[in-house]
Amino acid sequence: APHKETHMRKKIENKVENFFLWKWLLGAERTVMVLCSIAVLLTIFAGVICRRVLGVNFTSSEELLVIFALWLYFIGGVEGGNYRDDHIKADVLSVFVKKETTIHIVNVVVKLISLAVSIALAVWAWQYFRFCQVVGGKTLVLKLPMMCSRFALVLGYTLPVLYNIYHLILSVCDLADAHGEEPAATEGGND
C-alpha cells in the first residue's frame, strides 16, 4: 500500500504539473525549441539556395543562426537537463551506500547544491544582461540588437532556479518517504 509520503509526492507533482502557468511555461519552452529548430533549418536552406542556386551571398545567415542556435541551446538545456532532471550523473555513491535513507539525504544535499549554483548563475546572468543593456550593440549586417541572443542566456540560467526548487521539494518528499519506511523495514529484519 502506498505510504502517506508517497501520496504527498504524487500530490505535489500533480498540482505543479497541472498548474496552468507551469503548463504554459513548458509549452512556451517547447514552442521556442520547435520554432528555433525550424528557423535554423530554414536559414541554412535559404543560405544554400542563395549561394548555390542564385549565386547570391546570404551574409546575414550567420547572424540569424547564432541567435536561433543560442535560444535553442539554452532553452533546450532548461527543458532537458533541468525540468526533467536528466543531467548526466556519475553516481558512484549508490554503489557503496545501500541504505535508502542515506541515498535520499545525499540526493537532497545534491539538490541544495544545484539550487545554490543555479541561483548564483541566475544572478550573474541578470548582472550580465544589465551590463549588456548599458553597452548595447547590434549585429553587423542586420543591425539586430544583441539583446536578442543575450536574453536567451538570462532565461537559460534563470529558469533552472524554478526547476531546482521543484526537484528539491520532490527529493525532500522521497527522503520523508524513506525515513517513514525505515522503522518498518528494521522491525521486519530487512536491514
Side-chain angles (χ1 to χ4, degrees), residues 129-141:
F129 186 70
R130 278 185 253 138
F131 169 76
C132 291
Q133 284 178 319
V134 171
V135 172
K138 295 183 184 271
T139 59
L140 292 174
V141 179

Side-chain angles (χ1 to χ4, degrees), residues 9 12 111 164-174:
R9 177 190 170 102
I12 290 170
K111 300 298 185 210
N164 282 325
I165 291 170
Y166 174 60
H167 289 294
L168 174 62
I169 292 168
L170 295 180
S171 294
V172 169
C173 289
D174 290 341

Side-chain angles (χ1 to χ4, degrees), residues 30 71 76 93 150:
R30 292 169 184 159
W71 276 95
L93 191 63
R150 298 213 169 111

Side-chain angles (χ1 to χ4, degrees), residues 100 105 118 123 190:
E100 190 174 342
I105 289 170
S118 66
V123 168
N190 294 334

Side-chain angles (χ1 to χ4, degrees), residues 146-180:
M146 295 299 286
M147 303 313 285
C148 292
S149 59
R150 298 213 169 111
F151 194 66
L153 181 137
V154 172
L155 286 179
Y157 283 129
T158 302
L159 288 175
V161 173
L162 176 67
Y163 295 136
N164 282 325
I165 291 170
Y166 174 60
H167 289 294
L168 174 62
I169 292 168
L170 295 180
S171 294
V172 169
C173 289
D174 290 341
L175 176 60
D177 182 39
H179 184 68

Side-chain angles (χ1 to χ4, degrees), residues 103-125:
I103 292 171
H104 288 298
I105 289 170
V106 169
N107 194 31
V108 168
V109 170
V110 166
K111 300 298 185 210
L112 281 169
I113 293 169
S114 295
L115 178 60
V117 169
S118 66
I119 289 170
L121 288 172
V123 168
W124 170 82

